[in-house]
Amino acid sequence: MEQAKLDRINQLAKKKKTSGLTPEEQAEQRALREEYILEFRAGFRGILDNTYIQYPDGTKVKVEKKK
């Protein structure tokens, strides 16, 4: 995610705490947060796809999604 978008998320969060947000700003904040969460999950999924557990006997097992 671009640094400008992260900065805008932080600006909106700070403004919400101090003076409140307009309905347009609330919608913008929701959209930016949703985009951030999607990118975070995709990155984290990439990390988990390349993660293995190594047991003391030397065997390695790929981490899989719980069913």
Side-chain angles (χ1 to χ4, degrees):
M1 177 172 257
E2 300 168 10
Q3 186 62 40
K5 289 184 179 181
L6 292 173
D7 292 340
R8 183 65 179 154
I9 290 172
N10 291 330
Q11 286 174 351
L12 290 170
K14 189 173 186 179
K15 185 176 178 187
K16 182 178 181 181
K17 289 179 184 178
T18 58
S19 62
L21 298 175
T22 66
E24 294 83 16
E25 289 172 330
Q26 289 174 350
E28 179 185 5
Q29 186 182 40
R30 277 192 301 274
L32 288 170
R33 283 181 174 175
E34 183 64 29
E35 182 181 346
Y36 174 80
I37 289 170
L38 289 174
E39 287 188 28
F40 174 83
R41 287 179 180 163
F44 198 71
R45 172 60 42 207
I47 291 169
L48 290 177
D49 286 343
N50 295 311
T51 301
Y52 292 83
I53 297 172
Q54 184 171 356
Y55 291 101
D57 64 358
T59 59
K60 292 182 182 179
V61 178
K62 185 172 178 89
V63 174
E64 294 184 14
K65 189 174 183 178
K66 275 190 165 180
K67 297 178 182 175

Coordinates of all heavy atoms in Angstrom, one line a residue:
M1 N 0.8 -1.2 0.0 CA 0.0 0.0 0.0 C 0.9 1.2 0.0 O 1.9 1.3 0.7 CB -0.9 0.0 1.2 CG -1.8 1.2 1.4 SD -3.0 1.0 2.7 CE -4.4 0.7 1.7
E2 N 0.5 2.2 -0.7 CA 1.2 3.4 -0.8 C 1.3 4.2 0.5 O 0.4 4.2 1.3 CB 0.6 4.4 -1.9 CG 0.5 3.8 -3.2 CD -0.4 4.6 -4.1 OE1 -0.8 5.7 -3.7 OE2 -0.7 4.1 -5.2
Q3 N 2.4 4.8 0.7 CA 2.6 5.6 2.0 C 1.6 6.7 2.1 O 1.2 7.0 3.2 CB 4.1 6.1 2.1 CG 4.4 6.7 3.4 CD 4.3 5.8 4.6 OE1 4.7 4.6 4.4 NE2 3.7 6.2 5.7
A4 N 1.2 7.3 1.0 CA 0.2 8.4 1.1 C -1.1 7.9 1.6 O -1.8 8.6 2.4 CB 0.0 9.0 -0.3
K5 N -1.5 6.7 1.2 CA -2.7 6.1 1.7 C -2.6 5.8 3.2 O -3.6 6.0 4.0 CB -3.1 4.9 0.9 CG -3.6 5.2 -0.5 CD -4.1 4.0 -1.2 CE -4.5 4.3 -2.6 NZ -5.0 3.1 -3.3
L6 N -1.5 5.2 3.6 CA -1.3 4.9 5.1 C -1.3 6.2 5.9 O -1.9 6.3 7.0 CB 0.0 4.2 5.3 CG 0.1 2.8 4.7 CD1 1.5 2.3 4.9 CD2 -0.9 1.9 5.4
D7 N -0.7 7.3 5.4 CA -0.8 8.6 6.0 C -2.2 9.1 6.2 O -2.6 9.6 7.2 CB 0.1 9.6 5.3 CG 1.6 9.2 5.4 OD1 2.0 8.5 6.3 OD2 2.3 9.8 4.6
R8 N -3.0 8.9 5.1 CA -4.4 9.4 5.1 C -5.2 8.6 6.1 O -6.0 9.1 6.8 CB -5.0 9.2 3.7 CG -6.4 9.8 3.6 CD -6.5 11.2 3.9 NE -7.9 11.7 3.8 CZ -8.4 12.7 4.4 NH1 -7.6 13.5 5.1 NH2 -9.6 13.0 4.2
I9 N -5.0 7.3 6.2 CA -5.6 6.4 7.2 C -5.3 7.0 8.6 O -6.2 7.2 9.5 CB -5.2 5.0 7.2 CG1 -5.8 4.3 5.9 CG2 -5.7 4.2 8.4 CD1 -5.2 2.9 5.6
N10 N -4.1 7.3 8.9 CA -3.7 7.9 10.2 C -4.3 9.2 10.4 O -4.7 9.5 11.6 CB -2.2 7.9 10.3 CG -1.6 6.5 10.4 OD1 -2.2 5.6 10.9 ND2 -0.4 6.3 9.8
Q11 N -4.3 10.1 9.4 CA -4.9 11.4 9.6 C -6.4 11.3 9.9 O -6.9 12.0 10.8 CB -4.8 12.2 8.3 CG -3.4 12.7 7.9 CD -3.4 13.3 6.5 OE1 -4.3 13.3 5.8 NE2 -2.3 14.0 6.3
L12 N -7.1 10.4 9.2 CA -8.5 10.2 9.5 C -8.8 9.7 10.9 O -9.7 10.1 11.6 CB -9.2 9.4 8.5 CG -9.3 10.0 7.1 CD1 -9.7 8.9 6.1 CD2 -10.3 11.2 7.1
A13 N -7.9 8.8 11.4 CA -8.1 8.2 12.7 C -7.8 9.3 13.8 O -8.6 9.3 14.8 CB -7.1 7.0 12.9
K14 N -6.8 10.1 13.5 CA -6.5 11.2 14.5 C -7.7 12.2 14.5 O -8.1 12.6 15.6 CB -5.2 11.9 14.1 CG -4.7 12.8 15.1 CD -3.4 13.4 14.8 CE -2.8 14.2 15.9 NZ -1.4 14.7 15.5
K15 N -8.2 12.5 13.4 CA -9.3 13.5 13.3 C -10.6 12.9 14.0 O -11.3 13.7 14.6 CB -9.6 13.9 11.8 CG -10.7 15.0 11.7 CD -10.9 15.4 10.3 CE -12.0 16.4 10.3 NZ -12.4 16.8 9.0
K16 N -10.8 11.6 13.8 CA -12.0 11.0 14.4 C -11.9 11.1 15.9 O -12.9 11.4 16.6 CB -12.0 9.5 14.0 CG -13.2 8.8 14.5 CD -13.3 7.4 14.0 CE -14.5 6.6 14.5 NZ -14.5 5.2 14.1
K17 N -10.7 11.0 16.5 CA -10.6 11.1 17.9 C -10.7 12.5 18.4 O -11.2 12.7 19.5 CB -9.2 10.6 18.4 CG -9.0 9.1 18.2 CD -7.6 8.7 18.6 CE -7.4 7.2 18.4 NZ -6.1 6.8 18.8
T18 N -10.3 13.5 17.6 CA -10.4 14.9 18.1 C -11.7 15.6 17.8 O -12.3 16.1 18.7 CB -9.2 15.7 17.5 OG1 -9.3 15.6 16.1 CG2 -7.9 15.1 18.0
S19 N -12.1 15.6 16.5 CA -13.2 16.4 16.2 C -14.4 15.7 15.5 O -15.4 16.2 15.2 CB -12.8 17.6 15.3 OG -12.2 17.1 14.1
G20 N -14.1 14.4 15.1 CA -15.2 13.6 14.5 C -15.0 13.7 12.9 O -14.3 14.6 12.4
L21 N -15.7 12.8 12.2 CA -15.6 12.8 10.8 C -16.9 13.1 10.1 O -17.9 12.8 10.7 CB -15.1 11.4 10.3 CG -13.7 10.9 10.8 CD1 -13.5 9.5 10.4 CD2 -12.6 11.8 10.3
T22 N -16.8 13.6 8.9 CA -18.0 13.8 8.2 C -18.4 12.5 7.5 O -17.6 11.5 7.5 CB -17.8 14.8 7.0 OG1 -16.8 14.3 6.1 CG2 -17.3 16.2 7.6
P23 N -19.6 12.3 7.1 CA -20.0 11.0 6.4 C -19.1 10.7 5.2 O -18.8 9.5 5.0 CB -21.5 11.3 6.0 CG -22.0 12.3 6.9 CD -20.8 13.2 7.2
E24 N -18.7 11.7 4.5 CA -17.8 11.4 3.4 C -16.4 10.8 3.8 O -15.8 9.9 3.3 CB -17.5 12.6 2.5 CG -18.8 13.1 1.8 CD -19.6 14.0 2.7 OE1 -19.2 14.5 3.7 OE2 -20.8 14.2 2.3
E25 N -15.9 11.4 4.9 CA -14.7 11.0 5.5 C -14.8 9.6 6.1 O -13.9 8.8 6.0 CB -14.2 12.0 6.5 CG -13.7 13.3 6.0 CD -13.4 14.3 7.0 OE1 -14.0 14.3 8.1 OE2 -12.5 15.2 6.7
Q26 N -15.9 9.3 6.7 CA -16.2 8.0 7.3 C -16.2 6.9 6.1 O -15.6 5.8 6.3 CB -17.5 7.9 8.0 CG -17.5 8.7 9.3 CD -18.9 8.7 10.0 OE1 -19.9 8.4 9.3 NE2 -18.9 9.2 11.2
A27 N -16.8 7.2 5.0 CA -16.8 6.3 3.9 C -15.4 6.1 3.3 O -15.0 5.0 3.0 CB -17.7 6.8 2.8
E28 N -14.6 7.2 3.3 CA -13.2 7.1 2.8 C -12.4 6.3 3.7 O -11.6 5.4 3.3 CB -12.6 8.5 2.7 CG -11.2 8.5 2.2 CD -10.5 9.9 2.3 OE1 -11.2 10.9 2.7 OE2 -9.4 10.0 1.8
Q29 N -12.6 6.5 5.0 CA -11.9 5.7 6.0 C -12.2 4.2 5.9 O -11.3 3.4 5.9 CB -12.2 6.2 7.4 CG -11.3 5.5 8.5 CD -11.7 6.0 9.9 OE1 -12.9 6.2 10.2 NE2 -10.7 6.2 10.7
R30 N -13.5 3.9 5.8 CA -13.8 2.5 5.6 C -13.2 1.8 4.4 O -12.7 0.7 4.4 CB -15.4 2.3 5.5 CG -16.1 2.3 6.9 CD -17.5 1.9 6.7 NE -18.3 2.8 5.9 CZ -18.9 3.9 6.2 NH1 -18.8 4.3 7.5 NH2 -19.6 4.6 5.3
A31 N -13.2 2.6 3.2 CA -12.6 2.1 2.0 C -11.1 1.8 2.1 O -10.6 0.8 1.7 CB -12.9 3.0 0.8
L32 N -10.4 2.8 2.7 CA -9.0 2.7 2.9 C -8.6 1.5 3.9 O -7.7 0.8 3.6 CB -8.4 4.0 3.4 CG -8.3 5.2 2.5 CD1 -8.0 6.5 3.2 CD2 -7.3 4.9 1.4
R33 N -9.4 1.4 4.9 CA -9.1 0.3 5.9 C -9.4 -1.1 5.2 O -8.6 -2.0 5.4 CB -10.0 0.4 7.1 CG -9.5 1.5 8.1 CD -10.4 1.6 9.3 NE -9.9 2.5 10.3 CZ -10.5 2.8 11.4 NH1 -11.7 2.3 11.6 NH2 -9.9 3.6 12.2
E34 N -10.4 -1.2 4.4 CA -10.7 -2.4 3.7 C -9.6 -2.8 2.7 O -9.1 -3.9 2.7 CB -12.0 -2.3 2.9 CG -12.4 -3.6 2.3 CD -12.7 -4.7 3.2 OE1 -13.1 -4.5 4.4 OE2 -12.5 -5.9 2.8
E35 N -9.1 -1.8 2.0 CA -8.0 -2.0 1.1 C -6.7 -2.5 1.9 O -6.0 -3.4 1.4 CB -7.7 -0.7 0.3 CG -6.6 -0.9 -0.7 CD -6.3 0.4 -1.5 OE1 -7.1 1.4 -1.4 OE2 -5.2 0.5 -2.1
Y36 N -6.5 -1.8 3.0 CA -5.3 -2.2 3.8 C -5.4 -3.6 4.3 O -4.5 -4.4 4.2 CB -5.2 -1.2 5.0 CG -4.1 -1.6 6.0 CD1 -2.8 -1.3 5.7 CD2 -4.4 -2.3 7.1 CE1 -1.7 -1.6 6.6 CE2 -3.4 -2.6 8.0 CZ -2.1 -2.3 7.7 OH -1.1 -2.7 8.6
I37 N -6.6 -4.0 4.8 CA -6.8 -5.3 5.3 C -6.6 -6.4 4.3 O -6.0 -7.4 4.5 CB -8.2 -5.4 6.0 CG1 -8.1 -4.6 7.3 CG2 -8.5 -6.9 6.3 CD1 -9.5 -4.5 8.0
L38 N -7.1 -6.1 3.1 CA -7.0 -7.1 2.0 C -5.5 -7.3 1.6 O -5.1 -8.4 1.4 CB -7.8 -6.6 0.7 CG -9.3 -6.7 0.9 CD1 -10.0 -6.1 -0.4 CD2 -9.8 -8.1 1.0
E39 N -4.8 -6.2 1.5 CA -3.3 -6.3 1.2 C -2.6 -7.0 2.3 O -1.7 -7.8 2.1 CB -2.8 -4.9 0.9 CG -3.2 -4.3 -0.4 CD -2.5 -3.1 -0.8 OE1 -1.3 -2.9 -0.3 OE2 -3.1 -2.3 -1.5
F40 N -2.9 -6.7 3.6 CA -2.3 -7.3 4.7 C -2.5 -8.8 4.7 O -1.6 -9.6 4.8 CB -2.8 -6.8 6.0 CG -2.2 -7.5 7.2 CD1 -1.0 -7.2 7.7 CD2 -3.0 -8.5 7.8 CE1 -0.5 -7.8 8.8 CE2 -2.5 -9.2 8.9 CZ -1.2 -8.9 9.4
R41 N -3.7 -9.2 4.5 CA -4.1 -10.7 4.4 C -3.4 -11.4 3.3 O -2.9 -12.5 3.4 CB -5.6 -10.9 4.3 CG -6.3 -10.6 5.6 CD -7.8 -10.7 5.5 NE -8.5 -10.4 6.7 CZ -9.7 -10.2 6.8 NH1 -10.5 -10.2 5.8 NH2 -10.3 -9.9 8.0
A42 N -3.3 -10.7 2.1 CA -2.6 -11.3 1.0 C -1.1 -11.5 1.3 O -0.5 -12.6 1.0 CB -2.8 -10.5 -0.3
G43 N -0.5 -10.6 1.9 CA 0.9 -10.7 2.3 C 1.2 -11.7 3.3 O 2.1 -12.5 3.2
F44 N 0.3 -11.8 4.3 CA 0.4 -12.8 5.3 C 0.2 -14.2 4.8 O 0.9 -15.1 5.2 CB -0.6 -12.5 6.5 CG -0.3 -13.2 7.7 CD1 0.8 -12.8 8.5 CD2 -1.0 -14.2 8.2 CE1 1.1 -13.4 9.7 CE2 -0.7 -14.9 9.4 CZ 0.4 -14.4 10.1
R45 N -0.7 -14.3 3.9 CA -1.0 -15.6 3.2 C 0.2 -16.1 2.5 O 0.6 -17.2 2.5 CB -2.2 -15.5 2.3 CG -2.5 -16.7 1.4 CD -2.8 -18.1 2.1 NE -3.6 -18.0 3.2 CZ -3.6 -18.9 4.2 NH1 -2.7 -19.9 4.2 NH2 -4.4 -18.9 5.2
G46 N 0.9 -15.1 1.8 CA 2.2 -15.5 1.1 C 3.2 -16.0 2.0 O 4.0 -16.9 1.7
I47 N 3.3 -15.4 3.2 CA 4.3 -15.8 4.2 C 4.0 -17.2 4.7 O 4.8 -18.1 4.7 CB 4.3 -14.9 5.4 CG1 5.0 -13.5 5.0 CG2 5.1 -15.5 6.6 CD1 4.8 -12.4 6.0
L48 N 2.7 -17.5 4.9 CA 2.3 -18.8 5.4 C 2.4 -19.9 4.4 O 2.7 -21.0 4.7 CB 0.9 -18.8 6.0 CG 0.6 -18.0 7.3 CD1 -0.8 -18.0 7.6 CD2 1.5 -18.6 8.4
D49 N 2.3 -19.5 3.1 CA 2.4 -20.5 2.0 C 3.9 -21.0 1.9 O 4.1 -22.1 1.4 CB 2.0 -19.9 0.7 CG 0.5 -19.7 0.5 OD1 -0.2 -20.4 1.3 OD2 0.1 -18.9 -0.3
N50 N 4.8 -20.2 2.4 CA 6.2 -20.6 2.4 C 6.7 -21.0 3.8 O 8.0 -21.0 4.0 CB 7.1 -19.5 1.8 CG 6.7 -19.2 0.4 OD1 6.6 -20.2 -0.4 ND2 6.4 -18.0 0.0
T51 N 5.9 -21.4 4.7 CA 6.3 -21.7 6.1 C 6.1 -23.2 6.3 O 5.1 -23.8 5.9 CB 5.4 -21.0 7.1 OG1 5.5 -19.6 6.8 CG2 5.8 -21.3 8.5
Y52 N 7.2 -23.8 6.9 CA 7.2 -25.2 7.3 C 7.5 -25.3 8.7 O 8.2 -24.5 9.3 CB 8.3 -25.9 6.5 CG 8.0 -26.0 5.0 CD1 8.3 -25.0 4.1 CD2 7.4 -27.1 4.4 CE1 8.0 -25.0 2.8 CE2 7.1 -27.2 3.1 CZ 7.4 -26.2 2.3 OH 7.1 -26.2 0.9
I53 N 7.0 -26.4 9.3 CA 7.3 -26.7 10.7 C 8.3 -27.9 10.7 O 8.0 -28.9 10.0 CB 6.0 -27.2 11.5 CG1 5.0 -26.0 11.5 CG2 6.3 -27.6 12.9 CD1 3.7 -26.4 12.1
Q54 N 9.4 -27.7 11.4 CA 10.4 -28.8 11.5 C 10.3 -29.4 12.9 O 10.4 -28.7 13.9 CB 11.8 -28.2 11.2 CG 12.8 -29.3 11.2 CD 14.2 -28.8 10.7 OE1 14.3 -27.7 10.3 NE2 15.1 -29.7 10.7
Y55 N 10.1 -30.7 12.9 CA 10.0 -31.5 14.1 C 11.4 -31.9 14.5 O 12.4 -32.0 13.7 CB 9.1 -32.6 13.9 CG 7.6 -32.2 13.8 CD1 7.1 -32.2 12.5 CD2 6.9 -31.8 14.9 CE1 5.7 -31.7 12.3 CE2 5.6 -31.4 14.7 CZ 5.0 -31.4 13.5 OH 3.7 -30.9 13.3
P56 N 11.6 -32.3 15.8 CA 12.9 -32.7 16.3 C 13.5 -33.9 15.6 O 14.7 -34.0 15.5 CB 12.6 -33.1 17.8 CG 11.4 -32.3 18.2 CD 10.6 -32.2 16.9
D57 N 12.7 -34.7 15.0 CA 13.2 -35.8 14.2 C 13.7 -35.4 12.8 O 14.2 -36.3 12.0 CB 12.2 -37.0 14.1 CG 11.0 -36.6 13.3 OD1 10.9 -35.5 12.9 OD2 10.1 -37.5 13.2
G58 N 13.6 -34.2 12.4 CA 14.1 -33.7 11.2 C 13.0 -33.6 10.1 O 13.3 -33.0 9.0
T59 N 11.8 -34.1 10.3 CA 10.8 -34.0 9.3 C 10.2 -32.6 9.2 O 10.1 -31.9 10.2 CB 9.6 -35.0 9.5 OG1 9.1 -34.7 10.8 CG2 10.1 -36.4 9.5
K60 N 9.9 -32.2 8.0 CA 9.3 -30.9 7.8 C 7.9 -31.1 7.2 O 7.6 -31.9 6.4 CB 10.1 -30.1 6.8 CG 11.5 -29.7 7.3 CD 12.2 -28.9 6.2 CE 13.6 -28.5 6.7 NZ 14.3 -27.7 5.7
V61 N 6.9 -30.3 7.8 CA 5.5 -30.3 7.3 C 5.1 -28.9 6.9 O 5.3 -28.0 7.7 CB 4.6 -30.9 8.5 CG1 3.2 -30.9 8.0 CG2 5.1 -32.2 8.9
K62 N 4.5 -28.8 5.8 CA 4.1 -27.5 5.3 C 2.8 -27.1 6.1 O 2.0 -27.9 6.4 CB 3.7 -27.6 3.8 CG 3.3 -26.3 3.2 CD 3.1 -26.4 1.7 CE 2.7 -25.1 1.1 NZ 3.8 -24.2 0.7
V63 N 2.8 -25.8 6.5 CA 1.6 -25.3 7.2 C 0.5 -25.2 6.2 O 0.6 -24.7 5.1 CB 2.0 -23.9 7.8 CG1 0.7 -23.2 8.4 CG2 3.1 -23.9 8.8
E64 N -0.7 -25.8 6.7 CA -1.9 -25.7 5.8 C -3.0 -25.1 6.5 O -3.0 -25.0 7.7 CB -2.2 -27.2 5.4 CG -1.2 -27.9 4.6 CD -1.7 -29.3 4.1 OE1 -2.8 -29.6 4.3 OE2 -0.8 -30.0 3.7
K65 N -3.9 -24.6 5.7 CA -5.1 -23.9 6.2 C -6.0 -24.9 7.0 O -6.2 -26.0 6.5 CB -5.9 -23.3 5.1 CG -7.0 -22.4 5.5 CD -7.6 -21.7 4.3 CE -8.7 -20.7 4.7 NZ -9.3 -20.1 3.6
K66 N -6.5 -24.5 8.2 CA -7.4 -25.3 8.9 C -8.7 -25.5 8.2 O -9.2 -24.6 7.5 CB -7.7 -24.7 10.3 CG -6.7 -25.0 11.3 CD -7.2 -24.6 12.7 CE -6.4 -25.2 13.8 NZ -6.9 -24.8 15.1
K67 N -9.2 -26.6 8.3 CA -10.5 -26.9 7.7 C -11.7 -26.8 8.6 O -11.6 -26.8 9.8 CB -10.5 -28.3 7.0 CG -9.4 -28.3 6.0 CD -9.3 -29.7 5.4 CE -8.2 -29.7 4.4 NZ -7.9 -30.9 3.8

